[in-house]
Amino acid sequence: MANVSPTRGDITAHPDVPEMRDRYDRMLGGRDVALVDGPVFLLGLYCAASPWILHYTTSQPALVTHNLIMGIAIGLLALGFTRAPERMYGLSWAFCAMGVWMIIAPWVVGESPDAGVIVNNVIIGALAVILGLVCAGTAAKSTPRP
């Protein structure tokens, strides 16, 4: 019986390989942190919705507005990471600062917050700091050195 299955040859000797690699690198734009964009967006979405999920809209109205604005800001930052990564990953440190602010916000913005509100904001803030450090580290690693 004849072998009719298609076989793939090795194209490393093809004359267009360097051009294809350059085009591929330009298309990616140096993106090494593509897997972090989704979790950052989901964190922003949860941060914005957390006052309604944990039902503290009536007991902490200032913190409701704060978390909504911070969640929208985190979500927009994630969309910026996705849309223009080469320009936006410099803001990874700002994302870390937003995480630290989220950790201390219940005491600064809120009025005698209960344990659920504090734990919620500390977890959101810690995740923001961790994801910001991952973005900053990967962006620093993928930046070409002169």
Side-chain angles (χ1 to χ4, degrees):
M1 179 171 257
N3 183 7
V4 292
S5 62
T7 58
R8 295 181 180 225
D10 187 22
I11 67 165
T12 56
H14 194 278
D16 293 334
V17 168
E19 180 186 346
M20 289 188 287
R21 284 191 180 134
D22 289 342
R23 183 182 300 167
Y24 182 74
D25 288 340
R26 277 193 316 256
M27 293 279 292
L28 283 179
R31 287 184 49 99
D32 287 340
V33 205
L35 294 177
V36 179
D37 299 349
V40 171
F41 183 75
L42 290 175
L43 182 67
L45 186 65
Y46 174 75
C47 180
S50 64
W52 291 276
I53 293 171
L54 297 178
H55 304 292
Y56 62 87
T57 54
T58 55
S59 64
Q60 298 288 332
L63 210 50
V64 169
T65 306
H66 171 269
N67 279 15
L68 179 63
I69 292 171
M70 289 296 288
I72 291 170
I74 292 171
L76 289 175
L77 195 60
L79 291 176
F81 286 165
T82 303
R83 186 74 180 134
E86 62 279 353
R87 291 184 288 170
M88 291 296 290
Y89 279 127
L91 292 177
S92 300
W93 296 110
F95 186 44
C96 291
M98 290 170 69
V100 171
W101 172 251
M102 284 298 295
I103 291 172
I104 63 172
W107 295 282
V108 176
V109 177
E111 298 171 11
S112 63
D114 62 351
V117 173
I118 293 170
V119 169
N120 178 59
N121 274 29
V122 167
I123 290 173
I124 291 172
L127 286 173
V129 169
I130 291 168
L131 290 172
L133 289 174
V134 168
C135 287
T138 308
K141 185 176 67 174
S142 69
T143 303
R145 303 281 181 219

